Amino acid sequence: MSRVAIVTGGSRGIGRTTAERLAADGFAVVVVYAGNSVEAQSAVDAITAAGGQAIAAQADVADEQAVAAVFDTAEQTFGGVDVVVHAAGVMHLAPLAELDLSVLDGMHRTNVRGTFVVDQQAARRVRSGGAIVNFSSSVVGIALPGYAAYAATKGAVEAITLVLARELRGRDITVNAVAPGPTATALFLDGKDPETIARMAAQAPLERLGTPADIAEVVSFLAGPARWVNGQVIRANGGVI
């Protein structure tokens, strides 16, 4: 029987590449998307065309009933859940003094409550030998101007991750977070001019932006062979910090 992975934010960007990588690793994958069913189906089609198993499931990650239904679907379709990758998130940038507080609340709902809700179901339902992988951001350490609200939500993700790893003592389930640096995704590139992108690409000693495949490789490691890596935040950023 295949191991089973749920990937939130799995219809685009790092989440989609991660879903495709886990499918290539032999996982049956549930691609969770917020609203764009066309993108989600495209991800499923790409996985199945490559010989993998996948289905799409819609959910607002901050809605506990919708997230529970995704886990129900995974169990009913594939027999259980072994890995949960929570890649869904939103980012809005502005100086702290200028950020609309309704935007702050929206980011908090998706990034913090969403992580809590997804991890709550994962903690209850992931099988022994499994893994939970959350997504933080290297901006928590880099502390770039304009990122205060977003970095604050990702700092919360790191706290949730480290505590949950300890709460699952005795379950043989690892809990880690991946914190990408500048990565060439639509989420990162949107609204940035070429000079800004070039400057951020030059920050890493490797002198390039990360790619979704770079990040998916780390998730693949944490989801599979990395049984002795637990309660950690992996800063996958090419050496920026």
Side-chain angles (χ1 to χ4, degrees):
M1 180 182 297
S2 295
R3 299 182 77 209
V4 180
I6 292 173
V7 181
T8 71
S11 65
R12 61 187 302 194
I14 292 170
R16 173 168 174 164
T17 302
T18 296
E20 293 177 354
R21 173 61 186 264
L22 292 179
D25 290 344
F27 285 86
V29 180
V30 180
V31 175
V32 182
Y33 66 98
N36 193 322
S37 60
V38 173
E39 284 186 339
Q41 190 58 48
S42 174
V44 168
D45 291 345
I47 289 169
T48 55
Q53 291 180 280
I55 60 170
Q58 191 275 333
D60 170 359
V61 294
D63 180 337
E64 63 271 31
Q65 293 180 330
V67 171
V70 168
F71 279 75
D72 291 342
T73 297
E75 291 171 350
Q76 291 160 8
T77 305
F78 296 125
V81 179
D82 299 287
V83 168
V84 174
V85 179
H86 179 47
V90 295
M91 179 172 69
H92 299 283
L93 305 181
L96 185 148
E98 299 170 13
L99 184 73
D100 188 308
L101 292 180
S102 66
V103 173
L104 174 68
D105 291 342
M107 272 199 288
H108 188 280
R109 184 177 189 278
T110 297
N111 296 358
V112 181
R113 180 187 168 96
T115 299
F116 204 97
V117 168
V118 171
D119 281 10
Q120 188 172 72
Q121 287 298 315
R124 294 170 180 173
R125 300 167 77 163
V126 167
R127 294 186 286 208
S128 178
I132 300 168
V133 183
N134 291 321
F135 266 76
S136 179
S137 169
S138 284
V139 78
V140 173
I142 299 171
L144 291 172
Y147 284 79
Y150 179 70
T153 68
K154 293 304 187 177
V157 170
E158 294 188 7
I160 292 167
T161 299
L162 303 188
V163 172
L164 182 57
R166 287 147 182 84
E167 290 181 348
L168 296 185
R169 173 180 293 274
R171 295 271 303 279
D172 190 26
I173 297 169
T174 63
V175 188
N176 295 287
V178 179
T183 305
T185 65
L187 181 70
F188 170 77
L189 296 172
D190 184 44
K192 294 183 176 69
D193 58 54
E195 292 76 15
T196 298
I197 293 168
R199 184 176 68 253
M200 297 186 79
Q203 288 179 340
L206 298 176
E207 295 187 327
R208 65 173 177 87
L209 294 176
T211 68
D214 291 325
I215 310 306
E217 183 173 45
V218 179
V219 177
S220 172
F221 174 64
L222 295 173
R227 301 309 302 164
W228 198 234
V229 180
N230 189 29
Q232 304 299 316
V233 178
I234 310 297
R235 305 219 179 276
N237 59 30
V240 174
I241 55 172

